[in-house]
Amino acid sequence: MKDELDPQGTYEENEEYSGGNLTTFDFGENAFGHSAPNLVFEEENAFVVGNSFFRSNWTTAPASASVRDGLGPVFNSRSCGGCHPKDGRGTPPLTYGEPLNGLLFRLSGANGAPETTYGEQLQDKAILGKVPEAKVAVTYAELSGKYADGTSYSLRKPNYEFTEWGYGAIESGFLFSPRVGNQLAGVGLLEAINNADILASVDEQDMNGDGISGRANYVFDAVSQSTLLGKFGWKSNQPNLLQQTAGAFNGDIGITSSVFMKDHVTDAQTDLHDVINGGEPEISDKNLNDVVFYLQTLSVPARRDAEDVDVLKGKLLFTQLECATCHTPKYVTGTSHEIPALREQTIRPYTDLLLHDMGADLADGRPDFLANGNEWRTPPLWGIGLLQTVNGHTFLLHDGRARNIEEAILWHGGEAEKSKEKFTNLTAQDRTRLLKFLESL
């Protein structure tokens, strides 16, 4: 009887439709890869072409298929899908010496400026005849803890070992930031949220005294040559999906575009200056824009079990623990996005797209525009319960250190410390309910 009397959250009509009209009901391994159901015929064609360029490998120039040559000379992956398999999450190395596939490293000198020899990103692979910039090996240390009820848990903390620098010594005291490829469902809907609605949650000086600040990152936009609100990337360091995509082609695969006309190679890497390119630029505007359109119109999988009693009780706990203060449940997209299908959609992404201090344990110590070394963007939670089905793992956070949702919560610190403490004080039954709610998203 007690369960029936426990308070629970309220089911909202159409709560299953996380992406509004862009919601799909495939809960299988392709759940993140469907087009928006409300596209017109010409848009569906652009989605298919963009999907092709997202998934296909790029090759070394010159090649007979010149439309996809120009790989490298140094790179992290041969395709976008290499870091975002099935439009989902990359996997961090699990054992020492395992190659990086879906995890990359941003670099800076000790002063936060681009590192002199290796630039702003480490490329751990190279085309034939050239050497990678370095190798990275990952090991993990187990950290034990206990809930208030005495139940034990263990977290794994990564440690990174950089070896085999290919182009000379790196700066002393260099900074690095590990970042795993994130799932992509619904990113176009996030782009369609009005800036004013995002900025409404900014409370940089914590004027309401709830311990949560929320800061906007303002970043450079290469196309408009201006400073814009950052929305994408682990530190909101990209203003829109065009620059996010062009930046990934350039930094991750070594493909130039009209947005970034030069390969990600520094003046100091003279051994890489004589490589034949795949055109100027290597991806045409038409093909780049099709990939961006593909990403913009990826649908969102629907909620599962939204009316289940334990899920609703977990939903209430999510609010009571103040998780919803940063993981904003609902928005209505604006009326001005260039793609009509994305306009005026009621969506439930569970993010505020703002920067928050997540504490010393998650800090990378590396600034990124206005983001400091402790700050990370609140990641959206929609689709989080389908990661195991789509990608065969549940590794979370910016470096994939958390092995599941429970560990991700336990890594929260800084502004989220209070919520984490409340979670550790829950009964085992209520912890299960909260996790069941999150797995329903």
Side-chain angles (χ1 to χ4, degrees), residues 161-183:
E161 179 184 348
F162 296 82
T163 61
E164 301 181 41
W165 291 106
Y167 299 88
I170 194 168
E171 289 182 44
S172 175
F174 75 96
L175 307 177
F176 65 89
S177 179
R179 301 182 189 186
V180 72
N182 216 339
Q183 67 265 32

Side-chain angles (χ1 to χ4, degrees), residues 2 14 29-30 40 87 111 158 203 222-223 283 287 332 339 360 364 374 400 437:
K2 182 177 185 305
N14 294 326
E29 62 179 353
N30 296 315
V40 299
D87 305 292
N111 60 0
D203 185 16
V223 173
I283 184 170
N287 292 336
V332 177
I339 301 175
D364 64 0
N374 277 28
F437 163 70

Side-chain angles (χ1 to χ4, degrees), residues 294-314:
Y294 167 73
L295 295 170
Q296 288 172 319
T297 54
L298 282 171
S299 64
V300 180
R303 290 275 308 279
R304 286 81 56 211
D305 305 318
E307 296 184 73
D308 179 272
V309 172
D310 280 336
V311 168
L312 289 172
K313 289 176 178 175

Side-chain angles (χ1 to χ4, degrees), residues 197-214:
D197 291 335
I198 297 170
L199 296 174
S201 297
V202 171
D203 185 16
E204 193 162 339
Q205 304 304 319
D206 190 22
M207 297 300 289
N208 63 7
D210 65 354
I212 307 296
S213 61

Side-chain angles (χ1 to χ4, degrees), residues 73-74 126-132 167 271-275:
V74 287
I127 63 173
L128 186 65
K130 303 298 178 185
V131 297
Y167 299 88
D271 289 350
L272 301 177
H273 292 174
D274 61 347
V275 175

Side-chain angles (χ1 to χ4, degrees), residues 297-357:
T297 54
L298 282 171
S299 64
V300 180
R303 290 275 308 279
R304 286 81 56 211
D305 305 318
E307 296 184 73
D308 179 272
V309 172
D310 280 336
V311 168
L312 289 172
K313 289 176 178 175
K315 179 182 178 181
L316 178 63
L317 288 166
F318 188 77
T319 300
Q320 290 175 335
L321 268 58
E322 300 181 76
C323 310
T325 305
C326 301
H327 289 284
T328 306
K330 185 163 68 175
Y331 289 93
V332 177
T333 61
T335 59
S336 60
H337 196 280
E338 61 195 23
I339 301 175
L342 301 180
R343 299 173 189 164
E344 297 181 274
Q345 299 299 310
T346 299
I347 62 173
R348 293 173 171 83
Y350 289 86
T351 174
D352 61 6
L353 297 177
L354 295 175
L355 300 171
H356 294 276
D357 182 337

Side-chain angles (χ1 to χ4, degrees), residues 106-164:
R106 303 283 190 217
L107 297 176
S108 298
N111 60 0
E115 204 283 329
T116 307
T117 302
Y118 294 93
E120 296 182 89
Q121 183 168 316
L122 177 70
Q123 282 88 19
D124 63 308
K125 301 176 182 64
I127 63 173
L128 186 65
K130 303 298 178 185
V131 297
E133 292 188 321
K135 298 293 184 185
V136 187
V138 187
T139 55
Y140 297 94
E142 291 291 331
L143 307 176
S144 61
K146 282 189 177 181
Y147 289 102
D149 64 8
T151 304
S152 298
Y153 62 79
S154 183
L155 304 177
R156 62 172 190 172
K157 182 179 181 179
N159 179 62
Y160 303 104
E161 179 184 348
F162 296 82
T163 61
E164 301 181 41

